């Protein structure tokens, strides 16, 4: 037949497939002085390709869990999440952390990264120096000097509580 046509109908069902959150790069080791909090953009490391909202949990090494040495809070919205790491007051040491993100269906867990919270001296050390003899002249008494010292061990070392570490330390008078 001329000018005729065919007609066919299709029913199409579109199924939304949820993609799991992804770890885009490893979280780098973190280090800062005790009694300070630090914040970093967790979205630089973990994101959801669908833009789903994520919830986060974290795990610490077992020695740190026992004393609750670090608390981590997460804030923000999809694609712009921030993690705030808050060490316990006066706590210093090293712990390993993993962070897990969940989009209500799938999880992704980060690499294990180190958090190194460095010790901050609590008081200034006063040293008395006998100045009673100075080039044949007596100035009498003592003088006090304020001393500040920082020791950095290279390579990085971890010392367990109640353990002894012997290492070479070189001190230099800088004035």
């Amino acid at each position: 037949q001329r000018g005729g046509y065919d007609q066919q109908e299709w029913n199409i069902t579109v199924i939304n497939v949820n993609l799991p959150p992804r770890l885009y790069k490893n979280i780098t080791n973190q280090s800062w002085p005790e009694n300070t909090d630090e914040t970093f953009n967790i979205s630089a490391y973990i994101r959801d390709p669908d833009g789903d909202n994520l919830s986060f949990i974290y795990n610490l090494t077992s020695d740190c869990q026992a004393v609750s040495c670090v608390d981590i809070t997460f804030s923000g919205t999809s694609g712009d999440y921030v993690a705030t790491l808050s060490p316990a007051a006066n706590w210093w040491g090293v712990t390993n952390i993993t962070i897990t993100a969940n989009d209500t269906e799938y999880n992704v867990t980060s690499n294990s990264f180190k958090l190194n919270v460095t010790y901050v001296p609590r008081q200034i050390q006063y040293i008395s120096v006998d100045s009673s003899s100075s080039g044949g002249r007596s100035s009498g008494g003592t003088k006090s000097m304020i001393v500040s010292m920082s020791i950095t061990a290279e390579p990085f070392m971890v010392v367990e509580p109640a353990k002894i570490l012997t290492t070479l330390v070189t001190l230099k008078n800088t004035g």
Side-chain angles (χ1 to χ4, degrees):
Q1 234 178 355
R2 271 174 81 124
Y5 67 92
D6 261 349
Q7 181 176 343
Q8 188 168 8
E9 290 183 24
W10 290 285
N11 289 328
I12 299 175
T13 304
V14 177
I15 300 173
N16 184 17
V17 177
N18 181 26
L19 298 173
R22 293 191 181 138
L23 177 66
Y24 284 88
K25 64 180 180 178
N26 286 335
I27 299 175
T28 55
N29 293 335
Q30 308 288 313
S31 182
W32 61 83
E34 67 178 304
N35 296 321
T36 56
D37 296 349
E38 288 292 324
T39 299
F40 69 93
N41 182 349
I42 192 71
S43 296
Y45 305 96
I46 299 173
R47 294 189 298 275
D48 188 275
D50 303 320
D52 294 337
N53 285 323
L54 299 174
S55 60
F56 297 90
I57 58 170
Y58 64 95
N59 287 303
L60 309 170
T61 51
S62 59
D63 57 331
C64 193
Q65 288 174 340
V67 294
S68 300
C69 59
V70 178
D71 182 44
I72 304 177
T73 57
F74 301 93
S75 59
T77 58
S78 183
D80 192 26
Y81 292 105
V82 172
T84 302
L85 290 79
S86 304
N90 300 321
W91 180 83
W92 53 273
V94 177
T95 189
N96 290 309
I97 301 172
T98 57
I99 296 175
T100 300
N102 177 279
D103 71 356
T104 70
E105 188 176 354
Y106 296 107
N107 293 327
V108 65
T109 299
S110 74
N111 59 297
S112 178
F113 63 96
K114 283 190 188 330
L115 170 60
N116 176 25
V117 178
T118 58
Y119 174 74
V120 175
R122 306 271 185 296
Q123 48 185 302
I124 296 173
Q125 300 295 320
Y126 291 93
I127 298 176
S128 294
V129 178
D130 183 3
S131 61
S132 59
S133 177
S134 175
R137 288 177 284 154
S138 176
S139 59
T142 62
K143 65 179 182 176
S144 294
M145 299 170 20
I146 297 175
V147 175
S148 175
M149 183 185 320
S150 174
I151 298 174
T152 303
E154 293 291 338
F156 181 73
M157 292 183 276
V158 176
V159 181
E160 297 294 323
K163 301 288 182 183
I164 296 174
L165 169 70
T166 303
T167 187
L168 176 66
V169 175
T170 304
L171 300 175
K172 178 179 168 186
N173 183 354
T174 59

